[in-house]
Amino acid sequence: MTSEFATIEPKLKEILYRCLEDIRATKAALYLSNSETTYAMVTQYGFRDLDRKQIEARDDLIDRLIVKRTPFYVNSLTEEPRFSQTLFSSGTTRMLLAPIHSRGRLIGFLDLRDKAAQQPFNTTDISDVQTIIDQFLDFFAERGLYGLKTSSNDVSRVSLAPVAQPNTALNSIDDARRAVARGILRARPIASVLTEAQLDAGAAILPAVLSLPGADVAALSSFGQNTGGRRIVARAELSVDASEKLEEKLVAWLRKRGEPETVTSSSTSFPLGKAPAAIDANRLGAILSASVKLGNLRGVVLTAGFDGQPTVHTRGLLAGMLKQCTEILGYALEHEASRASRSRIAEKLLEPDFQRFPLLAAHCKRVSELAERLAIFAGLTAENAEHARLAGLVHDVGMRVLDYHHLYRKATVTAEDLKILREHAVVGAALVADSALGPEIANFVLCHHERPDGGGYPNGLSGDSIPVVSRVIHVCEAFDAMTAADSYQTAVPVPAALSRIRRVAGAQLDEDLANKFIEMQTTQPRLP
């Protein structure tokens, strides 16, 4: 621990004790980045074995936090095999990890182990730990650590760390400053109720469950207050008493966990063929249920009914199928969210708001098209190409609340006007983060005026610290601003614009991407 952290360790530990008070974790540690490659434990309680005082950035735990960017928990040695050794070596079976982000990078994390009374971690703990993370971020802001500042007049260091409750009324520069600087832009939680299509996707695992030794019936249920559904597969028709027994077991299981109990629709199929004799209640010797743990999703339960007590091996296979079901539902939810994002962007950010600003809308669409083309031409991943298209489409959406109508066509732009216009990256990022696109696309919007030489805004990032998608958009926006007939500046011919791009490559614009853009415009000047 550095001397700097030693002086604030008592305050850090005071905040850390909230993990005991609010979450009832019997062990907790705070790790903070002390280099590009390691994270050091700066305070803790409850741990006796402190061999992991320092964790390498390449550790599986760090990789999981960086890739997913959200808190997660593990409640058994078999739930996440790559973390089994970590749990086993520390003598624990339950763990909750929560990332701490600043300026888009992982600056630290909380490591919580075991709950009082041997209770498992749950989704409520995810919400509680995020509140504790916010307290750490507030304290870091007070001390000016990790690029965080509390002054609403200073947005020179802002970040888009994912947090829990999006602001739905961002309509001014000050709102955006507070939202970004104080970290209230949160990734949207996964929907709490499954659609019929998503339930069908998850139910694809049920025939495999039915193939387990002794399994007679399997079900995937999504419970809700006013909605929900159930998919059942069975080896034969269920008698009335068998159906009632299955329902009673499920309801009792749900009530014990405080979950909703209502199911409005149900269907039964027989994927392995239907035996002539019905399954009665006496035949169901054991009914096992487990919840699907996925983000904010609640009341989704996988159930299997057996003709006797399943073996340990069979239970292990069932646990593996629960994991597969969770992964399938995760993909289904992401796919649905992706489709919804595009619709919501079109409705919220382009129509009807941009009907008042047709020139701005046209500019955004041209930049979006160019950015996608450049990303593909430069050999970036398909994911980055899609991100470039989406971020390009909304990169200037912050202009809509900055008196754009008057500023865009002013013959002379004052220093004060420029100051206001420069805020559009922060305002736009706040608006995008509040949409279905979330913080990842918002971060690209936030950084699209950063420069390789560090002279850009709002964070003064440089080089590779600027997201590649943002660098793509910057090149494309610069070209469109120079060449478009409806631009705020006098248009120049394409060769002159490409010459200017070549001159500023490496300083104002990413050198490799600028050269790729020039090559693209020279060899493929327009879409077929």
Side-chain angles (χ1 to χ4, degrees):
M1 182 190 302
T2 66
S3 58
E4 180 182 15
F5 284 120
T7 62
I8 63 174
E9 196 268 345
K11 179 62 178 179
L12 296 177
K13 194 158 192 171
E14 177 186 330
I15 299 173
L16 189 67
Y17 266 115
R18 290 289 304 277
C19 298
L20 175 62
E21 297 167 354
D22 298 351
I23 303 175
R24 303 178 68 203
T26 62
K27 304 179 184 70
L30 170 66
Y31 287 83
L32 294 174
S33 172
N34 61 354
S35 72
E36 292 294 326
T37 59
T38 59
Y39 293 82
M41 181 190 291
V42 296
T43 189
Q44 63 89 25
Y45 68 80
F47 284 98
R48 294 181 179 178
D49 180 6
L50 298 182
D51 288 342
R52 287 174 66 84
K53 288 184 178 180
Q54 188 164 283
I55 298 180
E56 300 293 322
R58 64 175 179 270
D59 190 281
D60 281 342
L61 294 179
I62 305 300
D63 178 68
R64 172 64 168 77
L65 292 171
I66 290 175
V67 171
K68 297 297 186 180
R69 297 178 60 85
T70 55
F72 72 98
Y73 54 80
V74 177
N75 284 316
S76 72
L77 293 175
T78 59
E79 191 171 327
E80 285 281 357
R82 64 172 173 164
F83 301 139
S84 296
Q85 182 59 41
T86 298
L87 290 167
F88 180 77
S89 61
S90 63
T92 61
T93 57
R94 295 175 298 281
M95 172 178 69
L96 191 159
L97 272 291
I100 305 174
H101 288 90
S102 174
R103 295 185 62 187
R105 72 183 184 92
L106 183 71
I107 63 169
F109 62 94
L110 293 183
D111 182 352
L112 280 58
R113 304 293 178 90
D114 294 337
K115 287 181 67 174
Q118 298 184 335
Q119 291 297 305
F121 290 112
N122 55 48
T123 53
T124 300
D125 298 327
I126 295 292
S127 176
D128 290 339
V129 80
Q130 187 61 65
T131 300
I132 297 170
I133 292 294
D134 290 345
Q135 291 186 20
F136 279 115
L137 290 172
D138 286 342
F139 180 65
F140 294 154
E142 291 174 7
R143 293 301 184 109
L145 299 173
Y146 295 109
L148 292 167
K149 294 183 180 181
T150 57
S151 171
S152 62
N153 294 321
D154 188 349
V155 291
S156 61
R157 290 290 183 266
V158 291
S159 66
L160 287 172
V163 288
Q165 297 175 353
N167 182 344
T168 57
L170 293 170
N171 56 12
S172 71
I173 294 174
D174 286 341
D175 287 338
R177 284 175 173 173
R178 286 189 291 269
V180 177
R182 297 217 17 111
I184 62 170
L185 303 178
R186 298 181 181 249
R188 289 184 177 272
I190 290 175
S192 59
V193 178
L194 294 180
T195 65
E196 291 290 315
Q198 291 162 352
L199 184 61
D200 286 338
I205 197 68
L206 294 180
V209 176
L210 199 61
S211 69
L212 293 175
D216 280 332
V217 60
L220 183 67
S221 307
S222 176
F223 295 87
Q225 297 297 337
N226 301 307
T227 184
R230 178 179 297 153
R231 301 293 182 266
I232 300 172
V233 297
R235 293 184 177 276
E237 291 284 358
L238 296 177
S239 65
V240 174
D241 62 341
S243 296
E244 290 176 348
K245 183 176 182 179
L246 186 68
E247 183 70 19
E248 288 172 1
K249 288 282 188 180
L250 265 174
V251 169
W253 189 89
L254 290 164
R255 285 178 178 171
K256 184 177 180 181
R257 290 157 179 80
E259 300 284 2
E261 304 166 14
T262 304
V263 169
T264 57
S265 65
S266 181
S267 63
T268 302
S269 60
F270 309 93
L272 305 183
K274 185 166 64 172
I279 298 171
D280 60 24
N282 293 328
R283 182 168 163 179
L284 295 178
I287 298 176
L288 306 180
S289 293
S291 60
V292 171
K293 296 172 182 175
L294 186 63
N296 196 43
L297 194 64
R298 294 191 61 194
V300 178
V301 183
L302 179 66
T303 303
F306 295 85
D307 60 10
Q309 290 296 328
T311 65
V312 172
H313 178 66
T314 298
R315 288 172 180 263
L317 293 174
L318 183 60
M321 292 176 184
L322 174 65
K323 183 177 179 180
Q324 291 179 42
C325 180
T326 302
E327 292 176 352
I328 291 170
L329 286 175
Y331 293 136
L333 287 162
E334 288 176 5
H335 176 70
E336 188 72 21
S338 178
R339 293 183 60 185
S341 293
R342 288 159 176 78
S343 298
R344 292 185 62 178
I345 290 168
E347 294 169 2
K348 181 174 181 179
L349 301 181
L350 296 182
E351 301 290 348
D353 295 299
F354 274 14
Q355 287 181 351
R356 295 178 294 140
F357 311 129
L359 300 182
L360 184 59
H363 165 70
C364 288
K365 291 174 181 177
R366 289 194 300 268
V367 170
S368 174
E369 179 186 286
L370 282 171
E372 183 181 21
R373 288 180 57 207
L374 176 57
I376 295 171
F377 188 84
L380 302 186
T381 64
E383 181 182 35
N384 277 333
E386 174 65 3
H387 286 165
R389 183 186 73 82
L390 292 172
L393 189 64
V394 296
H395 74 282
D396 272 351
V397 72
M399 291 289 192
R400 73 185 198 182
V401 296
L402 298 178
D403 199 21
Y404 172 83
H405 181 70
H406 296 96
L407 292 176
Y408 191 74
R409 283 303 186 186
K410 285 185 70 172
T412 303
V413 180
T414 67
E416 186 63 27
D417 292 336
L418 286 174
K419 183 179 179 181
I420 293 175
L421 287 172
R422 284 165 66 95
E423 301 285 1
H424 80 278
V426 174
V427 175
L431 290 166
V432 172
D434 191 40
S435 76
L437 289 180
E440 185 171 29
I441 300 300
N443 194 47
F444 300 144
V445 173
L446 181 73
C447 299
H448 80 276
H449 275 293
E450 302 287 2
R451 294 170 37 155
D453 61 6
Y457 60 88
N459 280 338
L461 302 181
S462 62
D464 291 340
S465 63
I466 306 169
V468 66
V469 171
S470 300
R471 286 179 265 154
V472 166
I473 293 170
H474 198 182
V475 173
C476 297
E477 181 181 48
F479 175 79
D480 189 72
M482 286 188 284
T483 59
D486 57 5
S487 175
Y488 60 89
Q489 61 185 7
T490 303
V492 301
V494 169
L498 296 179
S499 179
R500 290 184 188 179
I501 287 176
R502 185 178 289 108
R503 286 200 302 271
V504 300
Q508 296 180 29
L509 303 173
D510 182 280
E511 185 170 12
D512 290 339
L513 289 172
N515 290 333
K516 284 291 185 182
F517 184 85
I518 293 169
E519 181 184 353
M520 180 183 76
Q521 287 300 103
T522 303
T523 60
Q524 302 175 11
R526 58 177 56 86
L527 289 174

